Amino acid sequence: MAPMPQASYTLTLENTTASLESLAPWIQTVAQQLSLTAETTFRIDLILAEVITNIVEYAYSPGQFNPILIKIKQQANQLVIEVQDQGIPFDPLQAPPVTLPTTLQSANIGGLGIHLLRHYSDECFYQRLNDQNQLTIIIHLPTD
Amino acid sequence: MTFDIKILDNGIKYVKLVGRLDRVGTNAIDNTFTFQVATTKAPVIIDLSEVEFLASIGIRLLLSNARALENRTGKLVLLQPTAAVKDVLSVAGVDQLLEVYDDLEAAQLALSGI
C-alpha cells in the first residue's frame, strides 16, 4: 500500500554541488506519495533544478556553507513550493525577460534558468525576510 | 549520465546520451563529451531518446558544442527527444537554433554533404 500523503515535505540541502544529487530522487519520492502526474513531476524537477543550482552557484561566497530549505505542500488543486536560503539578497524575478537567440553564434548561453523557472511555474513570488531569500512557486494541478 | 559514440558508415558521429542532463549529469560528462563531439568537424547526431530530463546547464552543453562544430564548418542535429525534453527545447528556443528530427534517416539526410 502506498504511504499516506503528508501535509508537507521538506528537504534541507547544503549549498554544494554534491548535495544536488539528492534533489531529484527526493522529488520523485514526493511525487509518488502525492500521486503527481509525470508532467507535473517534470515541472517541479526542472523548476527546483534551476532554482537550487542558481543558489549553489551564486548565493554564497566560496567556502561559505549554508543550508537551503525546500518545502513542498499540496493545497487543494495546487502545489506550493517554498525555497529559503541565507545567501546574498537575490530576487530572480527581477531579471529582465530573456531574448531568445536567433543564431547559434549569437546565443547568449546564460539566463535560461530563470526563463525556464518563469515558464514552468504558474505563479512565483519572492520576498526577503529575516535575512533570507524566500521564493514561493505555485503549480496548478491538472483537474480530472 | 553516460554517452556512447558510434561512427556511422557515412562518417556521421552518432552520440547516444542516457540519463539526466541536469547539473550533476552534465558535470559528469562535460569534458569528455566536448572532447569527443566538438574537436573534429565530423557531423554529429545527438540521440536524446533516453534523456529523461534536460535543464539549462544541459542546454548550454548542447549549444556550446553545436557552436564549436559550426565554427569548424561541422553541424550537430538532435534526434528523438521525449515529449517533455522537446518542450524544454522549444521553450528555450533551441529548436530554432538546432534541427530536431524524429527519425534517424531524416537526421542523416540533413547531414549529408556536410
Side-chain angles (χ1 to χ4, degrees), chain A:
Chain A
M1 208 170 91
M4 286 289 287
Q6 297 172 24
S8 70
Y9 299 83
T10 55
L11 175 70
T12 305
L13 295 177
E14 266 198 352
N15 59 313
T16 60
T17 306
S19 76
L20 285 170
E21 292 193 28
S22 54
L23 180 60
W26 177 72
I27 293 167
Q28 293 300 325
T29 305
V30 173
Q32 204 174 10
Q33 294 199 13
L34 293 176
S35 303
L36 302 179
T37 63
E39 189 194 343
T40 301
T41 308
F42 188 93
R43 289 174 67 188
I44 302 170
D45 204 350
L46 187 56
I47 287 166
L48 284 177
E50 299 300 344
V51 169
I52 306 302
T53 300
N54 221 29
I55 294 170
V56 168
E57 289 183 351
Y58 303 115
Y60 298 98
S61 308
Q64 190 186 357
F65 295 105
N66 273 296
I68 303 164
L69 181 69
I70 307 164
K71 187 188 280 187
I72 299 179
K73 57 188 170 190
Q74 184 168 358
Q75 289 180 339
N77 285 332
Q78 62 182 23
L79 283 178
V80 180
I81 305 169
E82 294 170 0
V83 180
Q84 291 178 18
D85 70 85
Q86 298 163 9
I88 54 168
F90 177 65
D91 178 0
L93 306 176
Q94 291 301 313
V98 168
T99 306
L100 295 177
T102 51
T103 68
L104 260 184
Q105 297 301 324
S106 69
N108 172 7
I109 286 179
L112 267 181
I114 290 169
H115 177 68
L116 295 174
L117 162 66
R118 283 191 172 118
H119 180 89
Y120 281 93
S121 55
D122 288 309
E123 299 168 54
C124 210
F125 312 97
Y126 169 86
Q127 58 179 345
R128 181 80 181 174
L129 200 62
N130 302 326
D131 287 332
Q132 297 199 40
N133 294 307
Q134 298 195 357
L135 190 65
T136 305
I137 298 130
I138 312 277
I139 291 183
H140 300 160
L141 293 172
T143 47
D144 294 331

Side-chain angles (χ1 to χ4, degrees), chain B residues 7 11 14 18 22 30 34 38 52 58 63 67 71 73 79-80 83 90 97-98 111:
Chain B
I7 308 292
Y14 171 86
V18 179
D22 56 5
D30 195 352
T34 299
E52 64 206 62
L63 289 182
R67 184 191 290 176
N71 289 339
T73 69
L79 179 66
Q80 286 176 349
S90 165
L97 305 175
L98 300 179
L111 294 174

